[in-house]
Amino acid sequence: MLDVDLAALYGVTTKRLNEQVKRNRERFPDDFMLRLTSTDVDTLNRSQIATGSQKHRDPRFAPYAFTEHGALMAAMVLNSSRATEVSVYVVRAFVELRDTLVAHKEFAKRLDELESRLERKLATHDQAITGILDAIRQLMVPPESTKKRRIGFVQND
């Protein structure tokens, strides 16, 4: 979650949030928060989802992106009742997102397994159908006999 969005949820300015993060840098390890690269910011600004919030930001400083734990830690360092209240909802949203991703991964895995089983069955069915068609074709061709049998009573010489 971007710092501007988190600050809006917690009812503070982005500047205030980033000040508190800088003052408490030891509480935000790399797996809690990261600064976006210029490529990330360009992609964000070009996306359909991006808001106009980036146009008033100092271009020298890219925004921060917070993980679930970072969002919770930000609420702790802000130390306001609104931040504490909203942090519960933020954590629940992250948990729901994680559960959704896990469900989609499980669904994709099961779909792949089903597809491979179907392919194996279809391959064996194709072979069986080909064998049946070959047998029918062989039955359709009359047998070639070398000697024609005469009709009627035949006496051996």
Side-chain angles (χ1 to χ4, degrees), residues 90-105:
V90 170
V91 170
R92 286 182 180 155
F94 274 107
V95 169
E96 185 70 27
L97 177 65
R98 186 180 320 119
D99 290 345
T100 302
L101 289 173
V102 167
H104 284 298
K105 285 181 183 178

Side-chain angles (χ1 to χ4, degrees), residues 2 5 43-53:
L2 292 178
D5 299 323
T43 304
L44 182 67
N45 288 333
R46 278 183 282 170
S47 74
Q48 296 295 327
I49 301 171
T51 62
S53 61

Side-chain angles (χ1 to χ4, degrees), residues 9-151:
L9 283 173
Y10 290 160
V12 296
T13 64
T14 308
K15 181 178 180 180
R16 168 107 166 94
L17 174 68
N18 289 334
E19 283 174 352
Q20 290 302 320
V21 167
K22 286 178 188 173
R23 287 184 184 143
N24 297 284
R25 187 65 183 129
E26 70 280 354
R27 293 186 180 205
F28 293 93
D30 292 339
D31 59 330
F32 281 26
M33 172 193 81
L34 61 107
R35 188 171 291 273
L36 298 181
T37 65
S38 58
T39 306
D40 295 333
V41 173
D42 290 341
T43 304
L44 182 67
N45 288 333
R46 278 183 282 170
S47 74
Q48 296 295 327
I49 301 171
T51 62
S53 61
Q54 297 299 318
K55 63 184 174 185
H56 299 296
R57 177 183 290 277
D58 188 342
R60 295 176 296 166
F61 304 108
Y64 288 110
F66 292 87
T67 65
E68 172 186 352
H69 303 294
L72 187 59
M73 188 60 70
M76 290 174 59
V77 298
L78 286 173
N79 199 19
S80 71
S81 60
R82 175 165 169 91
T84 305
E85 179 184 335
V86 173
S87 68
V88 173
Y89 296 107
V90 170
V91 170
R92 286 182 180 155
F94 274 107
V95 169
E96 185 70 27
L97 177 65
R98 186 180 320 119
D99 290 345
T100 302
L101 289 173
V102 167
H104 284 298
K105 285 181 183 178
E106 181 66 27
F107 179 70
K109 179 183 172 187
R110 293 185 70 193
L111 187 62
D112 287 341
E113 290 172 0
L114 178 63
E115 184 179 16
S116 65
R117 279 193 350 223
L118 279 174
E119 285 177 358
R120 285 193 306 265
K121 283 186 178 185
L122 288 176
T124 58
H125 288 178
D126 286 346
Q127 291 171 355
I129 290 171
T130 303
I132 291 170
L133 290 175
D134 288 342
I136 291 172
R137 284 191 189 106
Q138 288 175 1
L139 290 173
M140 290 174 59
V141 175
E144 296 180 20
S145 60
T146 56
K147 175 163 113 160
K148 289 192 177 184
R149 188 170 164 208
R150 292 193 290 178
I151 298 174

